[in-house]
Coordinates of all heavy atoms in Angstrom, one line a residue:
W153 N 21.4 15.0 -13.1 CA 20.9 16.2 -13.7 C 19.3 16.2 -13.8 O 18.7 17.2 -13.7 CB 21.4 16.4 -15.1 CG 20.9 15.5 -16.2 CD1 21.5 14.3 -16.6 CD2 19.7 15.7 -17.0 NE1 20.7 13.7 -17.6 CE2 19.7 14.6 -17.8 CE3 18.7 16.6 -17.0 CZ2 18.6 14.4 -18.8 CZ3 17.7 16.5 -17.9 CH2 17.6 15.4 -18.8
Q154 N 18.8 14.9 -13.9 CA 17.4 14.8 -13.9 C 16.7 15.2 -12.5 O 15.7 15.9 -12.5 CB 16.9 13.4 -14.3 CG 17.3 13.0 -15.7 CD 17.0 11.5 -16.0 OE1 17.1 10.7 -15.2 NE2 16.8 11.3 -17.3
S155 N 17.4 14.8 -11.5 CA 16.9 15.2 -10.1 C 17.0 16.7 -10.0 O 16.1 17.4 -9.4 CB 17.8 14.6 -9.0 OG 17.5 13.2 -9.0
D156 N 18.1 17.3 -10.5 CA 18.3 18.7 -10.4 C 17.1 19.5 -11.0 O 16.6 20.4 -10.5 CB 19.6 19.2 -11.1 CG 20.8 18.8 -10.3 OD1 20.7 18.4 -9.1 OD2 21.9 18.9 -10.8
L157 N 16.8 19.0 -12.2 CA 15.7 19.7 -12.9 C 14.4 19.4 -12.1 O 13.6 20.4 -11.9 CB 15.5 19.1 -14.4 CG 14.3 19.6 -15.0 CD1 14.3 21.1 -15.4 CD2 14.0 18.7 -16.3
L158 N 14.1 18.2 -11.7 CA 12.9 17.9 -11.1 C 12.7 18.6 -9.7 O 11.6 19.0 -9.4 CB 12.8 16.4 -10.8 CG 12.6 15.5 -12.1 CD1 13.0 14.0 -11.8 CD2 11.3 15.6 -12.7
Q159 N 13.8 18.9 -9.1 CA 13.7 19.6 -7.8 C 13.9 21.1 -7.9 O 13.8 21.8 -6.8 CB 14.8 18.9 -6.9 CG 14.5 17.5 -6.6 CD 15.7 16.7 -5.9 OE1 16.8 17.2 -6.0 NE2 15.3 15.6 -5.3
S160 N 14.2 21.6 -9.0 CA 14.4 23.0 -9.2 C 13.1 23.8 -9.0 O 12.1 23.4 -9.4 CB 15.0 23.3 -10.5 OG 15.0 24.8 -10.7
T161 N 13.2 25.0 -8.3 CA 12.1 25.8 -8.2 C 12.0 26.9 -9.2 O 11.1 27.8 -9.2 CB 12.0 26.5 -6.8 OG1 13.2 27.2 -6.6 CG2 11.8 25.4 -5.7
A162 N 13.0 26.9 -10.2 CA 13.1 28.0 -11.2 C 11.9 27.9 -12.1 O 11.3 26.8 -12.3 CB 14.3 27.8 -12.0
K163 N 11.5 29.0 -12.6 CA 10.3 29.0 -13.4 C 10.5 28.8 -14.9 O 9.7 28.4 -15.7 CB 9.6 30.4 -13.3 CG 9.0 30.8 -12.0 CD 7.7 30.0 -11.8 CE 7.0 30.4 -10.5 NZ 6.0 29.4 -10.0
R164 N 11.8 29.1 -15.3 CA 12.1 28.9 -16.7 C 13.4 28.1 -17.0 O 14.4 28.4 -16.4 CB 12.2 30.3 -17.4 CG 10.9 31.1 -17.4 CD 11.0 32.2 -18.4 NE 11.9 33.2 -17.9 CZ 12.6 34.1 -18.7 NH1 12.4 34.1 -20.0 NH2 13.4 35.0 -18.2
H165 N 13.3 27.1 -17.7 CA 14.4 26.2 -17.9 C 14.8 26.0 -19.4 O 13.9 25.9 -20.2 CB 14.1 24.8 -17.4 CG 13.7 24.8 -15.9 ND1 14.6 24.6 -14.9 CD2 12.5 25.0 -15.3 CE1 13.9 24.6 -13.8 NE2 12.6 24.9 -14.0
L166 N 16.1 25.9 -19.7 CA 16.6 25.5 -21.0 C 17.4 24.3 -20.8 O 18.4 24.3 -20.0 CB 17.5 26.7 -21.6 CG 16.8 28.0 -21.8 CD1 17.9 29.0 -22.2 CD2 15.7 27.9 -22.9
L167 N 17.0 23.2 -21.4 CA 17.7 21.9 -21.3 C 18.3 21.6 -22.7 O 17.6 21.4 -23.7 CB 16.8 20.8 -21.0 CG 15.8 20.9 -19.8 CD1 15.1 19.5 -19.7 CD2 16.4 21.3 -18.6
L168 N 19.7 21.7 -22.7 CA 20.4 21.4 -23.9 C 21.0 20.0 -23.7 O 22.0 19.9 -23.0 CB 21.5 22.4 -24.1 CG 22.3 22.4 -25.4 CD1 21.4 22.6 -26.6 CD2 23.4 23.5 -25.4
C169 N 20.4 19.0 -24.3 CA 20.7 17.6 -23.9 C 20.9 16.7 -25.1 O 20.3 16.9 -26.2 CB 19.6 17.0 -23.1 SG 19.1 17.9 -21.6
S170 N 21.8 15.8 -24.9 CA 22.1 14.8 -25.9 C 20.9 14.0 -26.3 O 19.9 13.8 -25.6 CB 23.2 13.8 -25.4 OG 23.2 12.6 -26.1
R171 N 21.0 13.4 -27.5 CA 20.0 12.4 -28.0 C 19.9 11.3 -26.9 O 21.0 10.9 -26.4 CB 20.3 11.8 -29.3 CG 20.3 12.7 -30.5 CD 18.9 13.1 -30.8 NE 17.9 12.1 -30.7 CZ 17.6 11.2 -31.7 NH1 18.2 11.3 -32.9 NH2 16.6 10.3 -31.5
Q172 N 18.8 10.9 -26.6 CA 18.5 9.7 -25.7 C 19.1 9.8 -24.3 O 19.3 8.9 -23.6 CB 19.2 8.4 -26.4 CG 18.4 7.9 -27.6 CD 17.0 7.4 -27.2 OE1 16.9 6.4 -26.4 NE2 15.9 8.1 -27.6
S173 N 19.2 11.1 -23.9 CA 19.7 11.3 -22.5 C 18.6 11.2 -21.5 O 18.9 11.1 -20.3 CB 20.4 12.6 -22.4 OG 19.6 13.6 -22.8
G174 N 17.4 11.2 -22.0 CA 16.2 11.1 -21.0 C 15.5 12.4 -20.8 O 14.8 12.5 -19.8
K175 N 15.7 13.4 -21.7 CA 15.1 14.7 -21.5 C 13.6 14.7 -21.6 O 12.9 15.2 -20.7 CB 15.7 15.7 -22.4 CG 15.7 15.4 -23.9 CD 16.5 16.4 -24.6 CE 16.6 16.1 -26.2 NZ 17.0 14.7 -26.5
S176 N 13.0 13.9 -22.6 CA 11.6 13.8 -22.7 C 11.0 13.1 -21.5 O 9.9 13.5 -21.0 CB 11.2 13.2 -24.0 OG 11.6 13.9 -25.1
T177 N 11.6 12.0 -21.1 CA 11.1 11.2 -20.0 C 11.0 12.0 -18.7 O 10.1 12.0 -17.9 CB 12.0 10.0 -19.8 OG1 12.0 9.2 -21.0 CG2 11.4 9.1 -18.7
T178 N 12.1 12.8 -18.4 CA 12.1 13.6 -17.2 C 11.0 14.7 -17.3 O 10.4 14.9 -16.2 CB 13.5 14.3 -17.1 OG1 14.5 13.4 -17.4 CG2 13.7 15.0 -15.7
C179 N 10.8 15.3 -18.4 CA 9.8 16.3 -18.5 C 8.4 15.6 -18.4 O 7.4 16.3 -17.9 CB 9.9 17.1 -19.8 SG 11.4 18.2 -19.7
A180 N 8.3 14.4 -18.9 CA 7.0 13.7 -18.7 C 6.7 13.5 -17.3 O 5.6 13.7 -16.8 CB 7.0 12.3 -19.4
A181 N 7.7 13.1 -16.5 CA 7.5 12.9 -15.0 C 7.2 14.2 -14.4 O 6.3 14.2 -13.5 CB 8.9 12.4 -14.4
L182 N 7.8 15.3 -14.8 CA 7.4 16.6 -14.3 C 6.0 17.0 -14.6 O 5.2 17.6 -13.8 CB 8.4 17.7 -14.8 CG 8.7 18.9 -13.9 CD1 9.1 18.5 -12.5 CD2 9.7 19.7 -14.5
A183 N 5.6 16.7 -15.8 CA 4.2 17.0 -16.3 C 3.2 16.2 -15.4 O 2.2 16.8 -15.0 CB 4.0 16.7 -17.7
V184 N 3.5 15.0 -15.2 CA 2.6 14.2 -14.3 C 2.5 14.7 -12.9 O 1.5 14.8 -12.3 CB 3.1 12.7 -14.3 CG1 2.4 11.9 -13.3 CG2 2.8 12.1 -15.7
H185 N 3.7 15.1 -12.4 CA 3.8 15.6 -11.0 C 3.0 16.9 -10.9 O 2.2 17.1 -10.0 CB 5.2 15.9 -10.6 CG 5.4 16.3 -9.1 ND1 5.2 17.6 -8.7 CD2 5.6 15.5 -8.1 CE1 5.4 17.6 -7.4 NE2 5.6 16.3 -6.9
S186 N 3.1 17.8 -11.9 CA 2.4 19.0 -11.9 C 0.8 18.7 -11.9 O 0.1 19.3 -11.2 CB 2.8 19.8 -13.1 OG 2.1 21.0 -13.2
A187 N 0.4 17.9 -12.8 CA -1.0 17.6 -12.9 C -1.6 17.0 -11.7 O -2.7 17.2 -11.3 CB -1.2 16.6 -14.2
I188 N -0.8 16.2 -10.9 CA -1.3 15.5 -9.7 C -1.3 16.6 -8.6 O -2.3 16.6 -7.8 CB -0.5 14.3 -9.3 CG1 -0.6 13.2 -10.4 CG2 -0.9 13.8 -8.0 CD1 0.4 12.0 -10.1
Y189 N -0.3 17.3 -8.4 CA -0.1 18.1 -7.2 C -0.4 19.6 -7.3 O -0.3 20.3 -6.3 CB 1.3 17.8 -6.6 CG 1.5 16.4 -6.1 CD1 2.2 15.5 -6.9 CD2 0.9 15.9 -5.0 CE1 2.3 14.2 -6.5 CE2 1.0 14.6 -4.6 CZ 1.7 13.7 -5.4 OH 1.8 12.4 -5.0
D190 N -0.5 20.1 -8.6 CA -0.8 21.5 -8.7 C -1.8 21.6 -9.8 O -1.5 21.9 -11.0 CB 0.5 22.2 -9.2 CG 0.4 23.7 -9.3 OD1 -0.7 24.2 -8.7 OD2 1.2 24.4 -9.9
P191 N -3.1 21.1 -9.5 CA -4.0 21.0 -10.6 C -4.2 22.2 -11.5 O -4.2 23.3 -11.1 CB -5.3 20.7 -9.8 CG -4.9 20.1 -8.5 CD -3.6 20.8 -8.2
G192 N -4.3 21.9 -12.8 CA -4.4 22.9 -13.8 C -4.0 22.3 -15.2 O -4.0 21.2 -15.4
L193 N -3.7 23.3 -16.0 CA -3.4 22.9 -17.4 C -1.9 22.7 -17.7 O -1.1 23.5 -17.3 CB -3.9 24.0 -18.3 CG -3.7 23.9 -19.9 CD1 -4.5 22.6 -20.4 CD2 -4.2 25.1 -20.6
V194 N -1.6 21.6 -18.3 CA -0.2 21.3 -18.7 C -0.2 21.1 -20.2 O -1.0 20.3 -20.8 CB 0.4 20.0 -18.1 CG1 1.7 19.7 -18.6 CG2 0.4 20.1 -16.6
L195 N 0.6 21.9 -20.9 CA 0.6 21.8 -22.4 C 2.0 21.2 -22.8 O 3.0 21.7 -22.4 CB 0.5 23.2 -23.0 CG -0.9 23.9 -22.8 CD1 -0.9 25.3 -23.4 CD2 -2.0 23.0 -23.4
L196 N 1.9 20.3 -23.8 CA 3.1 19.7 -24.4 C 3.1 20.2 -25.9 O 2.2 19.9 -26.6 CB 3.0 18.2 -24.4 CG 2.6 17.5 -23.0 CD1 2.5 16.1 -23.1 CD2 3.6 17.9 -21.9
I197 N 4.1 20.9 -26.2 CA 4.2 21.5 -27.5 C 5.5 21.1 -28.2 O 6.5 21.0 -27.6 CB 4.1 23.1 -27.4 CG1 2.8 23.5 -26.8 CG2 4.2 23.7 -28.8 CD1 2.6 25.0 -26.4
A198 N 5.4 20.9 -29.5 CA 6.6 20.6 -30.4 C 6.3 21.2 -31.8 O 5.1 21.6 -32.0 CB 6.8 19.1 -30.4
H199 N 7.3 21.2 -32.6 CA 7.1 21.8 -33.9 C 6.1 21.0 -34.7 O 5.5 21.5 -35.6 CB 8.4 22.0 -34.7 CG 9.1 20.7 -35.1 ND1 9.6 19.8 -34.2 CD2 9.2 20.1 -36.3 CE1 10.1 18.8 -34.8 NE2 9.9 19.0 -36.1

Side-chain angles (χ1 to χ4, degrees):
W153 74 267
Q154 293 176 329
S155 290
D156 287 348
L157 172 68
L158 292 164
Q159 293 167 344
S160 169
T161 55
K163 292 285 187 199
R164 295 194 293 154
H165 303 265
L166 298 173
L167 313 186
L168 185 62
C169 300
S170 161
R171 292 294 318 273
Q172 287 294 296
S173 55
K175 52 193 178 305
S176 297
T177 303
T178 313
C179 291
L182 206 54
V184 166
H185 188 274
S186 180
I188 297 174
Y189 295 103
D190 185 17
L193 179 63
V194 176
L195 294 177
L196 313 176
I197 299 172
H199 69 292

